[in-house]
Amino acid sequence: MNIKHLKYKNYRNLRSGVIIPNKGINIIYGNNAQGKTNLLEAFWLFTGGRSFRGAKDSDLILQGEKKSQLDLCFYSEEREQAAQIIIENGRRNAKLNGISQKSSAGLVGKFCAVIFSPEHISLVREGPSLRRNFIDSALCQIKPGYAALLSRYNRTLAQRNTLLKDIPHHSELIDTLEIWDEKLASYGENIVNFRIQYIENLSVLAKDIYGGICKNSEVLGLCYRKSAENLKEALKKSRRDDIYSGHTGFGPHRDDIDITINSMSARSFGSQGQKRSVVLALKLAEAEIIYRKTGERPVILLDDVMSELDSSRQDYLLNHLNECQVFITCCEPESLKLLKNGSLFEMDCGELLKK
Ligand SMILES: Nc1ncnc2c1ncn2[C@@H]1O[C@H](COP(=O)(O)OP(=O)(O)O)[C@@H](O)[C@H]1O
Ligand SMILES: [Mg+2]
């Protein structure tokens, strides 16, 4: 899959223009606050997701204007396709090949991209919920039915938790716990099995990519960590604690992924550059899994990834992602000495100049 061109009008600080990238590496450089991330965000909207910065739709329109329009021409499924997003009156409308979609979620699965932004380093640095979200959103994209399973689990969990809080006031309710535990354990075991399988696949690919990034000087390890070996048993045993705390102490909502570099916790011991490399390896491995599932290579969006990476790690990004279309933003055109093949664009006050 690749982007042929993107026309933008009144998107953030990008007043109007077009970018015609090449099929391989595209570098967008410029000083801070010129609009580089805004451009990647505009591409990202076509995946049907929300702004990766968590912005409201109305924030996306150039200040002082009422309407923002993006027209994307991309190559996928062996043909050129056209997608359009118009943001107006607090709504986001999307068209695909001329056909209006009910919502921009109608674009999901049509245009695929993987985004790395500096904030994603929290995936390694922070608590387990971000790591669980990472696997869950990856699985939602490639496993039909997973999103529904997850929401059934979450609903059942919420119901069980409500019940736990009611039991101290209505002790007769304790008998109904059995039914919820059965349901929760069954959905939960299913989720855990999907996740373990995904991490096993991801792990093989991410290890390989990480080895490429650090020229095999370090070894990445990924391992799914269950909160309970047997969920049904654990729920039963922890009933008293759960009633006391009003929360369910075991289940996929308490699981984590252990990430190690040379067998040491990346979260506790990794340097900034190592953490960044880990997240990159995870994202690129995710892209590879999407490719194996769909036959299309997602577009890779790398925002500000160059700083904190040494030159051999930079070289990997600039010269070893040959099979994908890649967009890399950076401030310093110096690091680009390493670039062997690719297009250069300079972003200056929302104006894009081809170099
Ligand atoms: N809706 C908007 N209207 C006008 N300018 C905006 C809007 N949203 C963001 N900006 C401006 O975009 C600039 C930041 O762009 P960004 O793409 O994050 O910069 P960078 O080139 O550093 O990645 C800031 O100057 C910000 O004020
Ligand atoms: Mg930026």
Side-chain angles (χ1 to χ4, degrees):
M1 162 153 347
N2 60 78
I3 291 172
K4 292 284 183 189
H5 68 248
L6 174 74
K7 272 192 216 150
Y8 47 85
K9 189 152 178 34
N10 299 340
Y11 186 81
R12 298 251 198 203
N13 73 332
L14 311 173
R15 186 167 289 282
S16 101
V18 59
I19 176 167
I20 307 174
N22 79 25
K23 278 191 196 167
I25 305 273
N26 296 275
I27 308 281
I28 299 146
Y29 70 91
N31 290 339
N32 290 333
Q34 300 304 306
K36 303 181 296 293
T37 303
N38 293 344
L39 182 65
L40 296 196
E41 183 187 43
F43 290 146
W44 178 255
L45 288 193
F46 285 94
T47 62
R50 272 173 286 164
S51 148
F52 59 86
R53 298 159 146 183
K56 295 196 298 281
D57 280 358
S58 54
D59 294 345
L60 305 178
I61 304 172
L62 178 71
Q63 244 162 39
E65 298 291 335
K66 293 202 164 59
K67 173 179 164 184
S68 169
Q69 178 166 344
L70 299 168
D71 286 281
L72 181 78
C73 174
F74 64 105
Y75 190 86
S76 166
E77 299 175 274
E78 292 165 9
R79 63 196 165 108
E80 273 191 21
Q81 307 203 44
Q84 183 186 65
I85 291 179
I86 292 182
I87 306 162
E88 197 176 18
N89 301 325
R91 269 189 59 86
R92 201 194 304 178
N93 297 303
K95 275 187 186 171
L96 182 67
N97 300 319
I99 298 166
S100 292
Q101 307 291 303
K102 276 204 203 81
S103 73
S104 61
L107 298 174
V108 171
K110 298 299 172 186
F111 173 72
C112 287
V114 168
I115 173 102
F116 171 92
S117 90
E119 296 91 75
H120 289 134
I121 200 170
S122 52
L123 194 58
V124 180
R125 195 167 49 198
E126 281 165 31
S129 69
L130 292 169
R131 288 182 285 283
R132 290 192 298 263
N133 286 345
F134 171 73
I135 339 180
D136 287 339
S137 51
L139 277 165
C140 284
Q141 288 193 53
I142 58 164
K143 285 266 177 240
Y146 187 78
L149 174 63
L150 200 60
S151 74
R152 256 180 255 133
Y153 177 82
N154 286 329
R155 225 174 16 243
T156 311
L157 179 64
Q159 283 159 332
R160 184 181 192 266
N161 287 344
T162 307
L163 183 62
L164 291 171
K165 291 186 187 91
D166 286 346
I167 287 174
H169 313 289
H170 306 275
S171 56
E172 74 283 1
L173 289 173
I174 200 156
D175 296 334
T176 55
L177 209 47
E178 182 78 34
I179 309 164
W180 294 110
D181 288 5
E182 289 266 339
K183 268 176 102 171
L184 198 67
S186 143
Y187 296 145
E189 298 276 0
N190 262 325
I191 289 176
V192 171
N193 290 339
F194 275 122
R195 285 186 184 169
I196 288 176
Q197 222 217 322
Y198 186 77
I199 290 296
E200 277 171 6
N201 294 339
L202 191 79
S203 166
V204 177
L205 299 166
K207 257 187 192 159
D208 217 42
I209 295 165
Y210 192 86
I213 295 176
C214 69
K215 304 277 184 283
N216 292 316
S217 61
E218 299 159 7
V219 179
L220 174 69
L222 291 181
C223 181
Y224 191 81
R225 192 151 50 80
K226 291 189 203 182
S227 56
E229 225 13 82
N230 179 328
L231 187 50
K232 204 169 157 215
E233 283 292 305
L235 288 172
K236 200 168 177 179
K237 282 202 189 123
S238 68
R239 274 181 194 167
R240 189 201 290 257
D241 290 347
D242 285 359
I243 292 167
Y244 184 73
S245 69
H247 292 287
T248 301
F250 294 97
H253 64 289
R254 301 301 284 266
D255 294 357
D256 198 357
I257 309 163
D258 285 333
I259 304 176
T260 54
I261 299 169
N262 294 344
S263 309
M264 304 222 296
S265 157
R267 185 179 176 194
S268 311
F269 301 105
S271 70
Q272 283 289 103
Q274 284 176 317
K275 287 182 181 135
R276 212 166 249 233
S277 306
V278 169
V279 179
L280 264 169
L282 293 177
K283 297 268 173 177
L284 296 174
E286 182 191 355
E288 182 65 28
I289 289 181
I290 295 175
Y291 168 62
R292 290 179 183 192
K293 276 272 156 202
T294 65
E296 297 281 346
R297 292 196 180 272
V299 174
I300 312 275
L301 307 172
L302 304 176
D303 192 22
D304 256 334
V305 68
M306 291 303 197
S307 51
E308 284 165 16
L309 294 185
D310 58 40
S311 55
S312 90
R313 290 177 197 236
Q314 292 186 353
D315 171 65
Y316 180 86
L317 295 180
L318 292 171
N319 301 310
H320 293 81
L321 299 175
N322 303 326
E323 287 165 291
C324 304
Q325 188 179 41
V326 185
F327 291 84
I328 299 180
T329 69
C330 62
C331 296
E332 296 290 328
E334 266 104 89
S335 57
L336 306 175
K337 284 196 299 279
L338 299 164
L339 179 69
K340 297 195 180 106
N341 250 313
S343 300
L344 282 185
F345 300 88
E346 184 181 357
M347 184 64 88
D348 185 25
C349 292
E351 298 272 348
L352 198 63
L353 308 156
K354 176 105 169 69
K355 290 282 154 175

